[in-house]
Amino acid sequence: MHGQRPESVLFYADAIFATLDQVVTSYACAPLSLSVRQGNIPAGAVAGSFLVFDEVHTFEPHLGLQSLLVLAERAHQMGIPFVIMSATLPTNFIRRLSERFGATIVEGTRLEGKNRRQRRVVLRVSSEKLSIETILQLTRNVERTLVVVNTVQRAQNLYEQLLGKIGCPVILAHSRFYDDDRRTKEKQIEARFGKTAEGRCLLIATQVVEVGLDISCDFLVTELAPIDALVQRAGRCARWGGEGEVVVFTGLETTRPYDRLLVEATEKALREKDLNGHELTWEIERDLVDIVLEPQFDQWAEPEAAGKVLASLAAAAFTGDSAKAEQAVREGLTVEVALHGSPDTLGIGALRLPRCRIHPGVLQQFVHKQQPEAWRVVVDRTAADDYRTRIEFLHVDSNSRAAPYGYYIIHPKYGSYDAERGLRLGIRGSPAESRDELIQQKSRLEGELQIEKWQDHIEKVVKAFAEHVLPRERIAFEALSRRLGKTHEDLLSLTHLVLIFHDLGKLAEQWQRKIQAGLESVLPPGTFLAHRGGSVRDLPPHATVSASLATPCLCRIAGSDWQQTLAIPALAAIAHHHTVRADMTPQFEMRDGWFEVTADCARRFARVDLTISDFNKWRGGGSCGVALNFLLPDGYASYVLLSRWLRLADRIATGGGENAILNYENWMSSS
């Protein structure tokens, strides 16, 4: 599950492999691969899952690592296990984290591994700048060579200069490839640098080869980088045993994208340890990591270090802005870029264009110099409408500033993409493939809802929760019950009330008048509809009406001690079951008989007796007053878990079974 191929956008799969961006933004109800309308569905999965954080040295210590530790802290509070994995974290930092979380340190067994014992890699350090001439000279008689540089532009330039000058295939790998091409590229790399590789080859790459690829080279040429990055790069040399050589070139024009102090500290450590010509052992790698990183990491083990991250995540949870959530992951700002000549014809399908990430400064400079025809794509994240998402295309001119984490579409007259080189700006290319057909497939996939009574829909939702959702979410349910000090029966009863009350707003006169239009002669008096076949336009919002009505009841059922940790989160889950940012409640009046059908469902499905005084007499025209607080961990956990359970059960009940979710995720993956 990642940005370019969302295979489980609702995090419904049993096991999910994702990027930190996807996990953190999802937890903040601002996921990268979904609109803000659906943002709280995957959030509950993060809050209730066994989290495994791998290769954590790749995360910025003051942002990504702190986001990880926020999630670990909250998992720890909920009593749900988690694992943090890395080969290049400082020893003292690991010890302090274990004390903070009461966690066990599990040492790896790399020294005992057969491959490690049979591996001998020699390190050499050069003060020169890496050049084409040097590469040609050093790799003349080498079977498999890996050249790692620090920027995409540098990698692309080296690739162009080397083509035709070296008597073997040259492969280019960096971050600016579309997903399908990246997969093809990875297979090509593994064929040439995997365990069964044959033939001479040279790979020019950026940091993308540091993790995630099981490859090995005979000779590694790399630009200077922070020690943890160098250790990971060196791990790609003689990976499965044998002889290898690593040459580090310290002559750099710039340390970007890395922190200058870390790069300088790494160069100083390499020079002072005088490792030129020495075997690069595991002990030396660990020693270098501790020397360079321990002073930097000393401040990052304490909970107070997460202040900036918590502020970003809280803002994202309040606004639904995934850019704010991404700011909690990395400082290496990016924008997303796609190629298309008329994105306004795609509508919401523009969000499904394949895209690449680049630094906003690169885009800013390009726009200023080239003045291309380009658009910024803006999704309305504040609309309270239950049923529609709005999207705008804002023209970009030479005075426009590139907004970090923004999404831009550039006319293909000004941008090029190909599967060998990736995205290149300033070179004429072709538009990306339109996804209009897939959008139409989604409409056909979802089908039309037939006439369904309100009581029947509520019964289906409760049944879907019992048969499909609760069995999958049992660990999270038990963890929340334990954390809040509520019995299983009490939490289950309140959850059932959330399921029953989520569509209370549909019992309003305004909503029923609209949904029943044209059916009055065939419906018995006193009928309440939840759905009907065909398209009904301009239905009034009902989710915030539901929350406003149910406020006194859920506050009473939860109890005075659980207002912030259970009652308000439950009401927010109801208010947000169509769009996460819904807050304003329209004026409404309830249709005669609404209380009787509600009370009947409460007795049948929640075993709760209701009175009319359990419901709010206020009739809308303002905020429903259920704003959630990310900084209250227990309350936020209740909100995202209840939201997930409600929305999954509602989807299953409305779509005709669990396949409604699986089909939706399959469609998202294919699109």
Side-chain angles (χ1 to χ4, degrees), residues 362-493:
V362 174
L363 179 64
Q364 184 79 56
Q365 186 178 28
F366 170 70
V367 168
H368 181 72
K369 289 184 176 181
Q370 301 285 332
Q371 299 184 20
E373 186 176 356
W375 302 264
R376 184 184 177 196
V377 183
V378 179
V379 179
D380 187 346
R381 301 180 182 278
T382 60
D385 192 296
D386 285 349
Y387 299 100
R388 285 172 289 276
T389 296
R390 292 202 295 265
I391 186 171
E392 292 183 88
F393 300 95
L394 306 180
H395 277 277
V396 173
D397 58 36
S398 58
N399 296 319
S400 301
R401 294 189 61 82
Y405 308 107
Y407 172 30
Y408 291 83
I409 297 178
I410 296 174
H411 196 289
K413 291 186 295 185
Y414 303 92
S416 158
Y417 178 88
D418 67 73
E420 293 301 318
R421 295 167 178 81
L423 177 67
R424 293 183 294 168
L425 298 177
I427 300 175
R428 190 181 184 94
S430 303
E433 179 185 354
S434 169
R435 304 300 190 184
D436 288 345
E437 182 181 346
L438 289 166
I439 297 298
Q440 295 168 6
Q441 289 175 7
K442 177 177 184 286
S443 299
R444 293 194 295 270
L445 173 69
E446 292 180 340
E448 291 186 348
L449 296 169
Q450 300 304 308
I451 291 177
E452 182 179 44
K453 291 183 179 180
W454 188 88
Q455 302 97 309
D456 294 340
H457 174 60
I458 297 303
E459 183 173 4
K460 289 180 181 178
V461 172
V462 174
K463 184 178 180 181
F465 174 74
E467 294 183 356
H468 297 285
V469 178
L470 186 57
R472 297 179 69 94
E473 303 280 324
R474 174 64 67 180
I475 291 176
F477 183 88
E478 293 175 352
L480 184 61
S481 170
R482 187 169 55 246
R483 178 65 183 171
L484 297 179
K486 286 282 189 179
T487 66
H488 284 201
E489 292 73 19
D490 286 344
L491 182 58
L492 188 61
S493 180

Side-chain angles (χ1 to χ4, degrees), residues 1 5-13 31-39 41-42 348 351-352 389 438-439 441-447 578 644 647-648 651-652 655-671:
M1 172 66 199
R5 191 172 181 83
E7 295 186 351
S8 186
V9 289
L10 304 180
F11 284 179
Y12 199 68
L32 298 176
S33 295
L34 284 176
S35 74
V36 67
R37 304 173 63 80
Q38 302 165 307
I41 304 177
I348 200 71
L351 300 179
R352 298 286 166 231
T389 296
L438 289 166
I439 297 298
Q441 289 175 7
K442 177 177 184 286
S443 299
R444 293 194 295 270
L445 173 69
E446 292 180 340
H578 275 287
R644 178 173 177 80
R647 299 195 71 173
L648 290 179
R651 278 174 175 263
I652 292 170
E658 190 175 21
N659 284 337
I661 293 173
L662 301 177
N663 289 342
Y664 178 79
E665 294 199 320
N666 287 337
W667 175 81
M668 288 292 289
S669 175
S670 69
S671 65

